[in-house]
Amino acid sequence: MSLNIIVCVKQVPHPEHFSRITLDPIRQTISREGIPAVINPLDLHALEEALRIREELSGKVTAISMGPPQARCALEEALAIGADDAVLLCDKSFAGADTLATAYSLACGIKKLGRFALILCGNETIDSATGQVGPQLAEFLGIPHVTSVIQIAFEQGSSLIVRQALEEGYMKVRVKLPAMLAVAKGINQPRLPTVWAIMEAGSKEMQIWGASDIGATQDMIGLEGSPTHVTGIFERDTTRRREILEGPPRQIAKKAVNRLHELIAT
Ligand SMILES: Cc1cc2nc3c(=O)[nH]c(=O)nc-3n(C[C@H](O)[C@H](O)[C@H](O)COP(=O)(O)OP(=O)(O)OC[C@H]3O[C@@H](n4cnc5c(N)ncnc54)[C@H](O)[C@@H]3O)c2cc1C
């Protein structure tokens, strides 16, 4: 069996720099300018799973991302880790997309890639974290999907048995290929790219497709194609009263208890 596997990769702000993200109350947008970006952590697990399947059954792994030109770096990293190919969907008209418009654009790109057996996504991102893109993508492509996947096993023929994590255990689900699986953290331990692979990835060819290349309908993409719109964006007021208690640990503990009693009483 040889499989075409597509991995959806989103570039997100580096979690260590989240505190530098600011809100623009006029344009109602989030400003990520100058903040280092990384591949969404769960997408690394999706990529790792794709590589393991390719190693076991042979096939091809294609990483795809919709994003601004700098999302190219995320795809270069995916190539360095082991993806065979990478496609960046990049066009000004994709800007302002909500999850539905994002999923539609990805679906158009994936249709252009041709036949595939499996799409792997992260269960959610660390910046918007809706968990909607994978299932919406599956709906656009008319294929089944399973979320919170923590194990994938191939059956003879064209189906999979996957473990879906539940709050108190897991559920085994049989799913026919082609399918979309959104993976959760426990599924594997992502590998790191070698220095040599990082250097080589920069010279690998990457396809960059705009809206017209993927035959996307203009009123289904970007801001225009987004049924949800941000109508207000607010920064939480984090001004707090601060008191520093000084002294040896026992005394501080006593002072803290007394202060808490005082504060509860007021
Ligand atoms: C009303 C509205 C307006 C928005 N406007 C903007 C805007 O102007 N600019 C902006 O940057 N963002 C904007 N966003 C955020 C944007 O919609 C999300 O970044 C995007 O749709 C992905 O959603 P998510 O991060 O919740 O993905 P999730 O659904 O949590 O992601 C699950 C998985 O889907 C895949 N995936 C998600 N997004 C992508 C992608 N882009 N490429 C490849 N794979 C992907 C990954 O595998 C990921 O792990 C807006 C959102 C809303 C609701």
Side-chain angles (χ1 to χ4, degrees):
M1 192 178 351
S2 175
L3 299 167
N4 271 345
I5 307 169
I6 292 163
V7 182
C8 295
V9 168
K10 184 185 176 192
Q11 194 181 47
V12 296
H14 196 302
E16 279 175 21
H17 298 266
F18 267 18
S19 58
R20 287 169 56 197
I21 295 175
T22 53
L23 301 182
D24 181 338
I26 311 286
R27 288 160 58 204
Q28 311 275 20
T29 53
I30 292 168
S31 173
R32 299 165 175 143
E33 244 161 76
I35 297 174
V38 290
I39 292 182
N40 180 53
L42 282 181
D43 302 354
L44 290 173
H45 291 270
L47 178 59
E48 175 64 31
E49 203 57 24
L51 299 178
R52 289 183 189 197
I53 295 169
R54 184 188 66 188
E55 280 155 13
E56 200 186 317
L57 301 171
S58 90
K60 187 176 159 193
V61 175
T62 304
I64 187 167
S65 187
M66 188 200 90
Q70 54 271 30
R72 189 190 167 93
C73 299
L75 289 172
E76 277 173 7
E77 192 182 336
L79 287 168
I81 293 169
D84 300 291
D85 266 331
V87 179
L88 175 60
L89 305 180
C90 187
D91 196 308
K92 279 206 172 102
S93 56
F94 293 142
D98 68 2
T99 60
L100 199 68
T102 302
Y104 171 74
S105 309
L106 288 170
C108 291
I110 289 171
K111 277 185 193 160
K112 182 173 163 121
L113 280 170
R115 270 169 67 99
F116 63 87
L118 195 57
I119 299 176
L120 294 173
C121 288
N123 214 37
E124 61 183 26
T125 58
I126 53 166
D127 58 348
S128 293
T130 64
Q132 293 173 356
V133 171
Q136 288 170 338
L137 173 59
E139 284 299 306
F140 277 122
L141 294 169
I143 58 171
H145 74 265
V146 186
T147 56
S148 303
V149 171
I150 48 168
Q151 195 181 66
I152 302 172
F154 280 79
E155 282 195 315
Q156 284 204 325
S158 57
S159 58
L160 304 169
I161 296 284
V162 301
R163 277 190 195 191
Q164 181 178 43
L166 302 173
E167 226 162 272
E168 304 264 336
Y170 64 84
M171 184 160 65
K172 276 186 171 178
V173 182
R174 174 172 290 119
V175 58
K176 275 196 171 175
L177 297 173
M180 191 296 296
L181 305 179
V183 307
K185 200 176 169 192
I187 192 163
N188 57 37
Q189 183 62 45
R191 69 192 71 181
L192 293 169
T194 62
V195 176
W196 181 248
I198 293 170
M199 282 158 60
E200 218 181 14
S203 61
K204 279 192 189 173
E205 214 171 292
M206 186 183 302
Q207 321 215 44
I208 300 179
W209 293 340
S212 60
D213 299 316
I214 56 173
T217 308
Q218 207 61 33
D219 62 3
M220 296 277 286
I221 58 172
L223 198 59
E224 195 188 339
S226 297
T228 54
H229 290 269
V230 178
T231 55
I233 196 161
F234 310 96
E235 211 146 356
R236 196 184 299 153
D237 180 9
T238 50
T239 46
R240 292 187 182 132
R241 265 191 299 161
R242 205 167 63 125
E243 282 179 45
I244 297 174
L245 303 175
E246 284 173 356
R250 269 177 188 279
Q251 256 183 41
I252 294 177
K254 269 189 190 158
K255 281 184 196 171
V257 171
N258 290 339
R259 271 304 281 143
L260 285 172
H261 279 303
E262 279 169 30
L263 289 168
I264 290 165
T266 53

